[in-house]
PDB file of all heavy atoms in Angstrom:
ATOM      1  N   GLY A   1     -78.300 -88.775 -19.679  1.00  0.00           N
ATOM      2  CA  GLY A   1     -79.046 -88.236 -18.436  1.00  0.00           C
ATOM      3  C   GLY A   1     -80.464 -88.181 -18.540  1.00  0.00           C
ATOM      4  O   GLY A   1     -81.185 -88.399 -17.593  1.00  0.00           O
ATOM      5  N   ILE A   2     -80.940 -87.853 -19.827  1.00  0.00           N
ATOM      6  CA  ILE A   2     -82.417 -88.038 -19.970  1.00  0.00           C
ATOM      7  C   ILE A   2     -82.950 -89.376 -19.777  1.00  0.00           C
ATOM      8  O   ILE A   2     -83.921 -89.500 -19.090  1.00  0.00           O
ATOM      9  CB  ILE A   2     -82.801 -87.443 -21.464  1.00  0.00           C
ATOM     10  CG1 ILE A   2     -82.352 -85.886 -21.567  1.00  0.00           C
ATOM     11  CG2 ILE A   2     -84.210 -87.756 -21.899  1.00  0.00           C
ATOM     12  CD1 ILE A   2     -82.435 -85.499 -22.967  1.00  0.00           C
ATOM     13  N   GLY A   3     -82.150 -90.293 -20.294  1.00  0.00           N
ATOM     14  CA  GLY A   3     -82.542 -91.705 -19.968  1.00  0.00           C
ATOM     15  C   GLY A   3     -82.549 -92.063 -18.616  1.00  0.00           C
ATOM     16  O   GLY A   3     -83.491 -92.749 -18.069  1.00  0.00           O
ATOM     17  N   ILE A   4     -81.571 -91.626 -17.730  1.00  0.00           N
ATOM     18  CA  ILE A   4     -81.532 -91.900 -16.379  1.00  0.00           C
ATOM     19  C   ILE A   4     -82.597 -91.349 -15.625  1.00  0.00           C
ATOM     20  O   ILE A   4     -83.227 -92.069 -14.808  1.00  0.00           O
ATOM     21  CB  ILE A   4     -80.166 -91.419 -15.908  1.00  0.00           C
ATOM     22  CG1 ILE A   4     -79.032 -92.300 -16.365  1.00  0.00           C
ATOM     23  CG2 ILE A   4     -80.127 -91.540 -14.356  1.00  0.00           C
ATOM     24  CD1 ILE A   4     -77.607 -91.745 -16.138  1.00  0.00           C
ATOM     25  N   VAL A   5     -82.856 -90.100 -15.682  1.00  0.00           N
ATOM     26  CA  VAL A   5     -83.903 -89.363 -14.824  1.00  0.00           C
ATOM     27  C   VAL A   5     -85.261 -89.849 -15.310  1.00  0.00           C
ATOM     28  O   VAL A   5     -86.196 -90.052 -14.392  1.00  0.00           O
ATOM     29  CB  VAL A   5     -83.686 -87.830 -14.837  1.00  0.00           C
ATOM     30  CG1 VAL A   5     -82.383 -87.544 -14.159  1.00  0.00           C
ATOM     31  CG2 VAL A   5     -83.998 -87.228 -16.102  1.00  0.00           C
ATOM     32  N   THR A   6     -85.584 -89.876 -16.598  1.00  0.00           N
ATOM     33  CA  THR A   6     -86.941 -90.229 -17.010  1.00  0.00           C
ATOM     34  C   THR A   6     -87.212 -91.689 -16.613  1.00  0.00           C
ATOM     35  O   THR A   6     -88.314 -91.963 -16.043  1.00  0.00           O
ATOM     36  CB  THR A   6     -86.909 -90.105 -18.541  1.00  0.00           C
ATOM     37  OG1 THR A   6     -86.520 -88.817 -18.880  1.00  0.00           O
ATOM     38  CG2 THR A   6     -88.270 -90.481 -19.114  1.00  0.00           C
ATOM     39  N   SER A   7     -86.239 -92.579 -16.714  1.00  0.00           N
ATOM     40  CA  SER A   7     -86.492 -94.025 -16.286  1.00  0.00           C
ATOM     41  C   SER A   7     -86.538 -94.226 -14.931  1.00  0.00           C
ATOM     42  O   SER A   7     -87.405 -95.030 -14.365  1.00  0.00           O
ATOM     43  CB  SER A   7     -85.383 -94.974 -16.887  1.00  0.00           C
ATOM     44  OG  SER A   7     -85.301 -94.883 -18.329  1.00  0.00           O
ATOM     45  N   ALA A   8     -85.877 -93.465 -14.011  1.00  0.00           N
ATOM     46  CA  ALA A   8     -86.044 -93.560 -12.618  1.00  0.00           C
ATOM     47  C   ALA A   8     -87.507 -93.172 -12.183  1.00  0.00           C
ATOM     48  O   ALA A   8     -88.045 -93.846 -11.364  1.00  0.00           O
ATOM     49  CB  ALA A   8     -84.993 -92.501 -11.931  1.00  0.00           C
ATOM     50  N   ALA A   9     -87.965 -92.001 -12.706  1.00  0.00           N
ATOM     51  CA  ALA A   9     -89.351 -91.630 -12.449  1.00  0.00           C
ATOM     52  C   ALA A   9     -90.232 -92.613 -12.936  1.00  0.00           C
ATOM     53  O   ALA A   9     -91.400 -92.841 -12.342  1.00  0.00           O
ATOM     54  CB  ALA A   9     -89.613 -90.283 -12.979  1.00  0.00           C
ATOM     55  N   LYS A  10     -90.148 -93.196 -14.105  1.00  0.00           N
ATOM     56  CA  LYS A  10     -91.039 -94.148 -14.760  1.00  0.00           C
ATOM     57  C   LYS A  10     -91.110 -95.502 -13.813  1.00  0.00           C
ATOM     58  O   LYS A  10     -92.193 -96.080 -13.660  1.00  0.00           O
ATOM     59  CB  LYS A  10     -90.478 -94.488 -16.128  1.00  0.00           C
ATOM     60  CG  LYS A  10     -91.226 -95.668 -16.771  1.00  0.00           C
ATOM     61  CD  LYS A  10     -92.710 -95.379 -17.094  1.00  0.00           C
ATOM     62  CE  LYS A  10     -93.306 -96.580 -17.958  1.00  0.00           C
ATOM     63  NZ  LYS A  10     -94.675 -96.458 -18.070  1.00  0.00           N
ATOM     64  N   LEU A  11     -90.008 -95.834 -13.240  1.00  0.00           N
ATOM     65  CA  LEU A  11     -89.993 -97.048 -12.493  1.00  0.00           C
ATOM     66  C   LEU A  11     -90.902 -96.815 -11.244  1.00  0.00           C
ATOM     67  O   LEU A  11     -91.558 -97.640 -10.728  1.00  0.00           O
ATOM     68  CB  LEU A  11     -88.554 -97.388 -11.846  1.00  0.00           C
ATOM     69  CG  LEU A  11     -87.620 -98.073 -13.030  1.00  0.00           C
ATOM     70  CD1 LEU A  11     -86.266 -98.144 -12.444  1.00  0.00           C
ATOM     71  CD2 LEU A  11     -88.094 -99.499 -13.211  1.00  0.00           C
ATOM     72  N   ILE A  12     -90.869 -95.527 -10.646  1.00  0.00           N
ATOM     73  CA  ILE A  12     -91.620 -95.256  -9.568  1.00  0.00           C
ATOM     74  C   ILE A  12     -93.226 -95.319  -9.991  1.00  0.00           C
ATOM     75  O   ILE A  12     -94.010 -95.763  -9.193  1.00  0.00           O
ATOM     76  CB  ILE A  12     -91.270 -93.827  -9.005  1.00  0.00           C
ATOM     77  CG1 ILE A  12     -89.963 -94.098  -8.344  1.00  0.00           C
ATOM     78  CG2 ILE A  12     -92.390 -93.387  -7.967  1.00  0.00           C
ATOM     79  CD1 ILE A  12     -89.336 -92.711  -7.784  1.00  0.00           C
ATOM     80  N   MET A  13     -93.498 -94.827 -11.171  1.00  0.00           N
ATOM     81  CA  MET A  13     -94.849 -94.825 -11.677  1.00  0.00           C
ATOM     82  C   MET A  13     -95.381 -96.296 -11.858  1.00  0.00           C
ATOM     83  O   MET A  13     -96.445 -96.593 -11.413  1.00  0.00           O
ATOM     84  CB  MET A  13     -94.926 -94.211 -12.991  1.00  0.00           C
ATOM     85  CG  MET A  13     -95.076 -92.637 -12.940  1.00  0.00           C
ATOM     86  SD  MET A  13     -95.485 -91.871 -14.608  1.00  0.00           S
ATOM     87  CE  MET A  13     -93.946 -92.116 -15.484  1.00  0.00           C
ATOM     88  N   ASP A  14     -94.452 -97.209 -12.237  1.00  0.00           N
ATOM     89  CA  ASP A  14     -94.898 -98.537 -12.521  1.00  0.00           C
ATOM     90  C   ASP A  14     -94.888 -99.413 -11.239  1.00  0.00           C
ATOM     91  O   ASP A  14     -95.338-100.624 -11.328  1.00  0.00           O
ATOM     92  CB  ASP A  14     -93.880 -99.173 -13.629  1.00  0.00           C
ATOM     93  CG  ASP A  14     -93.959 -98.552 -14.932  1.00  0.00           C
ATOM     94  OD1 ASP A  14     -95.029 -97.800 -15.242  1.00  0.00           O
ATOM     95  OD2 ASP A  14     -93.074 -98.672 -15.694  1.00  0.00           O
ATOM     96  N   SER A  15     -94.379 -98.883 -10.157  1.00  0.00           N
ATOM     97  CA  SER A  15     -94.333 -99.635  -8.958  1.00  0.00           C
ATOM     98  C   SER A  15     -95.637 -99.884  -8.321  1.00  0.00           C
ATOM     99  O   SER A  15     -95.710-100.749  -7.377  1.00  0.00           O
ATOM    100  CB  SER A  15     -93.338 -98.872  -8.024  1.00  0.00           C
ATOM    101  OG  SER A  15     -94.034 -97.709  -7.463  1.00  0.00           O
ATOM    102  N   GLY A  16     -96.699 -99.038  -8.710  1.00  0.00           N
ATOM    103  CA  GLY A  16     -97.951 -99.161  -8.142  1.00  0.00           C
ATOM    104  C   GLY A  16     -98.091 -98.418  -6.880  1.00  0.00           C
ATOM    105  O   GLY A  16     -99.237 -98.399  -6.213  1.00  0.00           O
ATOM    106  N   GLN A  17     -97.022 -97.680  -6.452  1.00  0.00           N
ATOM    107  CA  GLN A  17     -97.043 -96.881  -5.180  1.00  0.00           C
ATOM    108  C   GLN A  17     -96.656 -95.492  -5.514  1.00  0.00           C
ATOM    109  O   GLN A  17     -95.641 -95.176  -6.014  1.00  0.00           O
ATOM    110  CB  GLN A  17     -96.072 -97.461  -4.215  1.00  0.00           C
ATOM    111  CG  GLN A  17     -96.511 -98.915  -3.888  1.00  0.00           C
ATOM    112  CD  GLN A  17     -95.536 -99.441  -2.651  1.00  0.00           C
ATOM    113  OE1 GLN A  17     -95.775 -99.029  -1.616  1.00  0.00           O
ATOM    114  NE2 GLN A  17     -94.551-100.234  -2.967  1.00  0.00           N
ATOM    115  N   ARG A  18     -97.760 -94.664  -5.262  1.00  0.00           N
ATOM    116  CA  ARG A  18     -97.378 -93.164  -5.584  1.00  0.00           C
ATOM    117  C   ARG A  18     -96.564 -92.551  -4.422  1.00  0.00           C
ATOM    118  O   ARG A  18     -96.958 -92.730  -3.260  1.00  0.00           O
ATOM    119  CB  ARG A  18     -98.742 -92.441  -5.711  1.00  0.00           C
ATOM    120  CG  ARG A  18     -98.601 -91.003  -6.317  1.00  0.00           C
ATOM    121  CD  ARG A  18     -99.941 -90.428  -6.531  1.00  0.00           C
ATOM    122  NE  ARG A  18    -100.675 -91.001  -7.848  1.00  0.00           N
ATOM    123  CZ  ARG A  18    -100.504 -90.600  -8.987  1.00  0.00           C
ATOM    124  NH1 ARG A  18     -99.661 -89.466  -9.215  1.00  0.00           N
ATOM    125  NH2 ARG A  18    -101.054 -91.109  -9.989  1.00  0.00           N
ATOM    126  N   PRO A  19     -95.573 -91.685  -4.757  1.00  0.00           N
ATOM    127  CA  PRO A  19     -94.770 -91.069  -3.749  1.00  0.00           C
ATOM    128  C   PRO A  19     -95.526 -90.012  -2.905  1.00  0.00           C
ATOM    129  O   PRO A  19     -96.625 -89.427  -3.507  1.00  0.00           O
ATOM    130  CB  PRO A  19     -93.585 -90.421  -4.434  1.00  0.00           C
ATOM    131  CG  PRO A  19     -94.247 -90.317  -5.824  1.00  0.00           C
ATOM    132  CD  PRO A  19     -95.067 -91.400  -6.104  1.00  0.00           C
ATOM    133  N   ARG A  20     -95.132 -89.697  -1.796  1.00  0.00           N
ATOM    134  CA  ARG A  20     -95.707 -88.749  -0.925  1.00  0.00           C
ATOM    135  C   ARG A  20     -95.679 -87.311  -1.620  1.00  0.00           C
ATOM    136  O   ARG A  20     -96.701 -86.641  -1.709  1.00  0.00           O
ATOM    137  CB  ARG A  20     -95.117 -88.642   0.370  1.00  0.00           C
ATOM    138  CG  ARG A  20     -95.801 -87.523   1.421  1.00  0.00           C
ATOM    139  CD  ARG A  20     -95.234 -87.564   2.743  1.00  0.00           C
ATOM    140  NE  ARG A  20     -95.846 -86.541   3.406  1.00  0.00           N
ATOM    141  CZ  ARG A  20     -95.372 -85.214   3.460  1.00  0.00           C
ATOM    142  NH1 ARG A  20     -94.367 -84.934   2.802  1.00  0.00           N
ATOM    143  NH2 ARG A  20     -96.018 -84.316   4.169  1.00  0.00           N
ATOM    144  N   ARG A  21     -94.464 -86.980  -2.085  1.00  0.00           N
ATOM    145  CA  ARG A  21     -94.242 -85.653  -2.818  1.00  0.00           C
ATOM    146  C   ARG A  21     -94.301 -85.819  -4.306  1.00  0.00           C
ATOM    147  O   ARG A  21     -94.119 -87.024  -4.877  1.00  0.00           O
ATOM    148  CB  ARG A  21     -92.873 -85.185  -2.409  1.00  0.00           C
ATOM    149  CG  ARG A  21     -92.883 -84.646  -0.892  1.00  0.00           C
ATOM    150  CD  ARG A  21     -91.374 -84.291  -0.511  1.00  0.00           C
ATOM    151  NE  ARG A  21     -91.372 -83.613   0.695  1.00  0.00           N
ATOM    152  CZ  ARG A  21     -90.357 -83.553   1.575  1.00  0.00           C
ATOM    153  NH1 ARG A  21     -89.215 -84.305   1.366  1.00  0.00           N
ATOM    154  NH2 ARG A  21     -90.355 -82.771   2.721  1.00  0.00           N
ATOM    155  N   THR A  22     -94.306 -84.761  -4.903  1.00  0.00           N
ATOM    156  CA  THR A  22     -94.182 -84.810  -6.456  1.00  0.00           C
ATOM    157  C   THR A  22     -92.760 -84.948  -6.874  1.00  0.00           C
ATOM    158  O   THR A  22     -91.901 -84.244  -6.376  1.00  0.00           O
ATOM    159  CB  THR A  22     -94.912 -83.397  -7.045  1.00  0.00           C
ATOM    160  OG1 THR A  22     -96.189 -83.540  -6.821  1.00  0.00           O
ATOM    161  CG2 THR A  22     -94.650 -83.479  -8.566  1.00  0.00           C
ATOM    162  N   ILE A  23     -92.593 -85.838  -7.904  1.00  0.00           N
ATOM    163  CA  ILE A  23     -91.221 -85.961  -8.609  1.00  0.00           C
ATOM    164  C   ILE A  23     -91.360 -85.251  -9.980  1.00  0.00           C
ATOM    165  O   ILE A  23     -92.265 -85.646 -10.752  1.00  0.00           O
ATOM    166  CB  ILE A  23     -91.003 -87.423  -8.758  1.00  0.00           C
ATOM    167  CG1 ILE A  23     -90.653 -88.043  -7.345  1.00  0.00           C
ATOM    168  CG2 ILE A  23     -89.531 -87.553  -9.483  1.00  0.00           C
ATOM    169  CD1 ILE A  23     -90.462 -89.573  -7.371  1.00  0.00           C
ATOM    170  N   ARG A  24     -90.714 -84.186 -10.070  1.00  0.00           N
ATOM    171  CA  ARG A  24     -90.856 -83.434 -11.362  1.00  0.00           C
ATOM    172  C   ARG A  24     -89.437 -83.709 -12.178  1.00  0.00           C
ATOM    173  O   ARG A  24     -88.446 -83.368 -11.702  1.00  0.00           O
ATOM    174  CB  ARG A  24     -90.863 -81.892 -11.038  1.00  0.00           C
ATOM    175  CG  ARG A  24     -90.939 -81.072 -12.288  1.00  0.00           C
ATOM    176  CD  ARG A  24     -91.116 -79.618 -12.023  1.00  0.00           C
ATOM    177  NE  ARG A  24     -92.477 -79.361 -11.503  1.00  0.00           N
ATOM    178  CZ  ARG A  24     -92.997 -78.207 -10.952  1.00  0.00           C
ATOM    179  NH1 ARG A  24     -92.097 -77.197 -10.956  1.00  0.00           N
ATOM    180  NH2 ARG A  24     -94.223 -78.021 -10.594  1.00  0.00           N
TER     181      ARG A  24
END
């Protein structure tokens, strides 16, 4: 679970596009 949620957020960080809302 740690790997799943951490990597999901990391992929968004690496996409070059910041989300509108905060992902915590």
Side-chain angles (χ1 to χ4, degrees):
I2 292 169
I4 290 167
V5 299
T6 303
S7 296
K10 171 65 172 169
L11 282 171
I12 290 171
M13 279 192 287
D14 291 347
S15 70
Q17 301 186 76
R18 189 173 287 270
R20 180 178 177 274
R21 292 167 162 156
T22 292
I23 297 170
R24 178 178 290 176

